[in-house]
């Protein structure tokens, strides 16, 4: 009887230990994201995309000069860390303009169209570009500008979980 009780307690403990959600999973719960694929919107599993990778969630718009200026920098980071870094660009701009920009530039990013601004409500910001940095464990490490993210910072996030990045005040 005691053995059965111990086994049950171990199973319950393991279930709660392994079913704990990460910070980002909790924040993204219920978000129905759509990815831009060509000229279509398709379902996009944000939670799946942020697992076990360093993620840059980049809020931008086609009319935003600093956003556009930051894209080549993000591309360089993605090219240096193709397997460990996921860049997800989030826009709620005019759909056709966004699609045209993506076609013309072909950056190696995932593009999420946030027409209802669900993600903007989860990560409130008063200006763009707005960059959310998430570590491999699903912990939000910074809300900042893309220019503050260096190769060294991404290396640190891949190998550990500590970074020193200026936070953007909203």
């Amino acid at each position: 009887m005691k053995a059965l009780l111990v086994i049950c307690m171990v199973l319950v403990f393991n279930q709660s230990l392994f079913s704990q959600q990460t910070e980002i999973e909790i924040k993204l719960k219920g978000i129905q994201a759509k990815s831009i694929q060509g000229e279509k919107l398709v379902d996009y599993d944000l939670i799946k995309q942020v697992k076990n990778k360093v993620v840059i969630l980049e809020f931008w718009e086609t009319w935003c000069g600093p956003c556009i200026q930051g894209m080549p920098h993000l591309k360089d980071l993605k090219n240096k860390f193709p397997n460990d870094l996921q860049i997800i660009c989030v826009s709620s701009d005019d759909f056709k303009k966004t699609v045209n920009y993506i076609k013309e530039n072909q950056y190696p990013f995932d593009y999420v169209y946030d027409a209802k601004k669900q993600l903007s409500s989860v990560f409130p910001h008063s200006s763009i570009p707005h960059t959310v940095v998430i570590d491999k464990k699903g912990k939000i490490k910074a809300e900042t500008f893309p220019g503050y993210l260096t190769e060294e910072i991404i290396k640190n996030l891949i190998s550990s979980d500590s970074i020193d990045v200026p936070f953007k005040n909203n």
Side-chain angles (χ1 to χ4, degrees):
M1 184 68 167
K2 286 184 182 179
L4 183 59
L5 182 60
V6 169
I7 290 170
C8 287
M9 288 176 61
V10 167
L11 289 174
V12 168
F13 176 75
N14 282 340
Q15 178 67 22
S16 66
L17 182 67
F18 292 111
S19 67
Q20 290 180 355
Q21 292 183 319
T22 64
E23 180 181 8
I24 194 65
E25 287 173 327
I26 292 167
K27 280 196 166 278
L28 295 178
K29 188 174 184 167
I31 300 285
Q32 309 250 322
K34 297 286 185 182
S35 172
I36 300 173
Q37 301 291 320
E39 294 185 19
K40 295 181 182 179
L41 292 174
V42 297
D43 289 338
Y44 185 79
D45 187 347
L46 266 168
I47 292 173
K48 182 179 176 183
Q49 298 302 320
V50 300
K51 285 197 178 217
N52 302 317
K53 288 188 177 190
V54 171
V55 176
I56 296 172
L57 196 59
E58 183 68 16
F59 291 86
W60 73 289
E61 304 289 341
T62 60
W63 52 263
C64 170
C67 299
I68 302 307
Q69 289 174 337
M71 293 292 191
H73 172 67
L74 293 174
K75 178 184 177 184
D76 289 343
L77 290 175
K78 176 64 177 168
N79 288 340
K80 288 176 183 166
F81 305 101
N83 299 318
D84 296 306
L85 178 64
Q86 177 76 17
I87 298 176
I88 303 170
C89 295
V90 180
S91 177
S92 57
D93 199 356
D94 177 80
F95 184 72
K96 188 72 173 162
K97 288 179 183 177
T98 304
V99 167
N100 287 339
Y101 180 85
I102 293 167
K103 281 182 188 177
E104 290 171 11
N105 293 281
Q106 298 186 8
Y107 289 118
F109 313 143
D110 287 1
Y111 290 91
V112 169
Y113 192 64
D114 191 27
K116 296 179 183 175
K117 298 191 178 190
Q118 295 178 76
L119 288 168
S120 292
S121 68
V122 172
F123 299 102
H125 51 277
S126 58
S127 64
I128 52 175
H130 182 72
T131 307
V132 179
V133 182
I134 305 158
D135 72 10
K136 290 166 50 170
K137 297 174 187 170
K139 183 167 173 54
I140 299 164
K141 301 304 279 189
E143 293 192 37
T144 189
F145 293 101
Y148 289 146
L149 301 178
T150 64
E151 186 176 337
E152 183 179 336
I153 287 170
I154 301 302
K155 278 183 190 175
N156 286 344
L157 275 171
I158 291 168
S159 63
S160 69
D161 65 353
S162 67
I163 59 170
D164 184 20
V165 177
F167 268 73
K168 177 180 167 188
N169 292 325
N170 289 312

